[in-house]
Each structure stands twice: as C-alpha cells, then as structure tokens.
Amino acid sequence: RFEKKSVEKPLPAAWLPAVGEPLLARFEASKRGGAVGTKWYPGTATRVHPDNTVDVEYDDGDIEERVLPKFFKPRGAEAGEAGPLEAVRIRLRGAATSTNPAAQDEVAGAAKAEAEAAAEAA
C-alpha cells in the first residue's frame, strides 16, 4: 500500500528567493530525482510555494515548476565570486521578504552579527 505525500509540507531551504529574484537552478534535477547529468542555469523565481519549492523561468525561456530547494541557489553563489560575508548577504536577500519564520530568524541573526562586527571594527 502506498502513502500519499503532502506536497505542501515545507521542505528545508537554506535560502528562498523573492518572486522576480534572479537565481541559478539545476534544470530538470527535481524531475530526475537528482543532480547527476544536470547543470546550473540562470533564471528568475516566478513563484514560491508554501512547501518551499520554486517555479523558475530560465533566461533561455524554459519554464520549470516546483524546483526543490536543494536545486536552486542565488546568483553569485558560485565559489570565488563572493567573500563569506557577501555570500551570506546574497543567500539571505530573498529571505527578508519571505513568510518562512526560519528564514526571517536567519535574516535577523545575520543583521545582528553584522552590526556586532561593525561595532568591533569601530
């Protein structure tokens, strides 16, 4: 007997984009069940679902619905493009507009840590 999974149960997400925010996503990785044989492509978030999946319109015009969180990341998150603090800022940028409580807590924590670092430097 098979159990039906609820697609609306939130999946863990390190970063959630705002609608209209640029991102990188692994095209068709969610459909294939893994990242093997897929590449990162630039696109834009067109919808963020309650389960933390994202609809993506790729820059080449392809559209993909309900991309799993592990298969999307902010643009500029590639190694070497940003320092550690900038990478945190990039990752959290969309979280500031998110209704996800965990994302909101992470934004608040990052803002506090940045303020403390600025105070120490002064």
Side-chain angles (χ1 to χ4, degrees), residues 37-86:
T38 65
K39 294 181 181 178
W40 292 102
Y41 291 99
T44 303
T46 58
R47 182 173 178 195
V48 179
H49 296 274
D51 64 353
N52 293 342
T53 59
V54 174
D55 293 355
V56 176
E57 181 175 349
Y58 292 93
D59 289 0
D60 66 1
D62 284 332
I63 295 173
E64 187 172 17
E65 295 179 345
R66 295 194 175 269
V67 176
L68 297 171
K70 62 184 175 181
F71 298 130
F72 61 80
K73 62 184 179 180
R75 284 197 201 181
E78 296 85 1
E81 286 193 22
L85 184 55
E86 183 62 19

Side-chain angles (χ1 to χ4, degrees), residues 104-116:
Q104 291 173 346
D105 289 347
E106 195 169 356
V107 169
K112 181 180 176 185
E114 186 173 325
E116 289 172 355

Side-chain angles (χ1 to χ4, degrees), residues 14-16 74 87-97 103 106-107 110-111:
W15 169 78
L16 285 174
V88 169
R89 286 185 184 133
I90 290 168
R91 187 172 58 76
L92 295 178
R93 184 174 48 215
T97 59
E106 195 169 356
V107 169

